[in-house]
Amino acid sequence: MPRKKIALIGGGQIGGVLTQLIALKELGDVVLYDIVEDLPQGKTLDVAEASRVDQFDVSIKGTNDYKDIAGADLVIITAGLPRKPGMSRDDLLTTNAKIMKTVAENVKTYAPDSIVIVISNPLDAMVTLFQKVSGFPTQRVMGQAGVLDSSRFASFIAWELGVSVKDVNAMVLGGHGDTMVPLVRYANVNGIPVMEMLERKYNDSGKAKEVMEAIVQRTRMAGGEVVKLLKTGSAFYSPAASAIAMAKAILNDEKRLLPTCAYLNGEFGVKGFYVGVPAILGEKGVEKVIELTLNDEEQSMFNNSVEAVKKLIEDMSRLGF
């Protein structure tokens, strides 16, 4: 049985880690594309030369020619400028939209049957632009944000409670930015509500609420926290690992329920926009969006996040994209 072909567009930090993780998990053969001459060739050679040590048998190739992605089953896009300290995701819009338009045109030409995961920021706008330019069915185009944001939320909860993060279930909805919606009410530790555990820890419901509000705020600002610490770049390992979870679900038809930037066609009262929601991922891409029952406060926050996404799309349209 032939291996799947995975094309990675963008040879920066995330692209390099994606190459390594795909090889280690033997998800498929890898083609890493970047516009910078010799960069993808160097990164892929480095990973390939560890094949005996790490015991993987996949083909790994770096290229500066889009033709080499021909026939890819899955495309993961990281191309674009990373955020710099003090730069909002919206500041990236014009530059990264130009890059994404070129990427979409080439993926449409050389990998027309692929499923696409976009990581590039501003995420919600870049997913929208890729789908618009490529004309791909919406279920075959999605964005990675929710898996990462939810992992951050779960990690912060685990650290606060002193429990294994493996047992924490937490989900973040909405746009990938300051208006994202960590679902506190649904967060649990193997079925035990997180708020109940916090109240037991502090024996004070007010204190528990205060601690959770701090966790929610840290989740919303987590990307910026990493940017501030790194000073010369943005998060790369955690976004790559999150995209791999999505890729694995698609390539292996796992039917996993993962928070995904998916196209909504009336779900959650939203039509015609890409927004972070729970979705079943399998061999066809986004196979089903799962609607949660939101209370008034959660719905209000979700609506606010959707409005921020709409504003971002409006700004992109005004700029000619």
Side-chain angles (χ1 to χ4, degrees):
M1 182 177 177
R3 288 190 293 262
K4 297 290 186 179
K5 181 174 181 179
I6 305 167
L8 308 176
I9 311 298
Q13 293 275 47
I14 298 177
V17 175
L18 283 170
T19 301
Q20 182 182 19
L21 291 175
I22 290 169
L24 289 172
K25 296 175 182 291
E26 293 189 307
L27 293 181
D29 293 333
V30 182
V31 175
L32 176 63
Y33 168 87
D34 198 276
I35 194 172
V36 179
E37 188 174 350
D38 293 334
L39 173 66
Q41 290 87 342
K43 289 200 173 186
T44 52
L45 179 60
D46 184 30
V47 174
E49 288 173 348
S51 59
R52 174 64 181 85
V53 179
D54 287 328
Q55 297 285 287
F56 59 79
D57 272 313
V58 297
S59 170
I60 306 174
K61 177 179 181 177
T63 184
N64 303 117
D65 191 336
Y66 272 110
K67 291 180 181 178
D68 290 323
I69 74 169
D73 298 286
L74 179 69
V75 177
I76 304 178
I77 301 170
T78 67
L81 295 180
R83 285 195 300 163
K84 298 178 181 178
M87 178 187 289
S88 71
R89 288 184 174 89
D90 293 3
D91 292 335
L92 297 174
L93 188 56
T94 301
T95 300
N96 284 354
K98 292 177 182 177
I99 295 171
M100 187 57 66
K101 184 173 184 292
T102 299
V103 171
E105 290 168 347
N106 281 282
V107 172
K108 179 181 180 179
T109 298
Y110 296 108
D113 298 320
S114 61
I115 291 175
V116 178
I117 300 172
V118 177
I119 305 179
S120 309
N121 279 318
L123 189 278
D124 309 283
M126 294 301 100
V127 178
T128 301
L129 181 59
F130 180 93
Q131 194 280 325
K132 176 183 177 181
V133 174
S134 69
F136 281 15
T138 54
Q139 69 268 25
R140 287 204 281 121
V141 180
M142 68 200 78
Q144 188 296 112
V147 175
L148 171 58
D149 294 331
S150 298
S151 178
R152 287 168 167 166
F153 188 30
S155 296
F156 299 153
I157 288 170
W159 300 343
E160 171 62 32
L161 291 175
V163 300
S164 172
V165 72
K166 295 177 183 178
D167 295 329
V168 179
N169 302 299
M171 183 171 288
V172 176
L173 305 185
H176 185 51
D178 300 345
T179 62
M180 67 179 71
V181 186
L183 291 178
V184 175
R185 189 166 58 93
Y186 282 96
N188 67 83
V189 181
N190 271 355
I192 303 172
V194 166
M195 287 308 299
E196 183 177 321
M197 294 189 70
L198 282 173
E199 288 170 7
R200 287 179 182 174
K201 176 179 177 177
Y202 291 104
N203 197 30
D204 182 337
S205 60
K207 176 64 175 179
K209 184 177 180 180
E210 179 183 318
V211 169
M212 177 51 75
E213 287 175 350
I215 290 174
V216 166
Q217 185 61 15
R218 188 179 184 188
T219 301
R220 288 174 173 152
M221 308 304 292
E225 183 180 359
V226 174
V227 169
K228 185 176 180 180
L229 290 167
L230 290 178
K231 297 179 176 63
T232 57
S234 57
F236 55 93
Y237 182 81
S238 52
S242 300
I244 289 297
M246 297 174 69
K248 186 169 176 287
I250 293 165
L251 294 169
N252 295 340
D253 193 26
E254 293 177 341
K255 312 297 187 189
R256 288 201 65 191
L257 174 60
L258 296 172
T260 303
C261 184
Y263 186 83
L264 298 184
N265 195 29
E267 299 91 347
F268 291 93
V270 179
K271 187 176 179 64
F273 290 91
Y274 273 92
V275 183
V277 292
I280 301 295
L281 300 189
E283 63 181 353
K284 296 178 183 178
V286 177
E287 299 192 348
K288 185 178 183 180
V289 170
I290 304 299
E291 291 191 77
L292 294 173
T293 300
L294 302 179
N295 61 29
D296 290 344
E297 181 183 9
E298 292 160 346
Q299 188 67 56
S300 177
M301 289 191 295
F302 184 78
N303 292 343
N304 181 53
S305 192
V306 171
E307 287 304 312
V309 171
K310 290 180 178 179
K311 176 64 166 57
L312 191 58
I313 303 307
E314 289 173 3
D315 290 343
M316 187 168 65
S317 297
R318 197 177 304 117
L319 292 168
F321 295 99

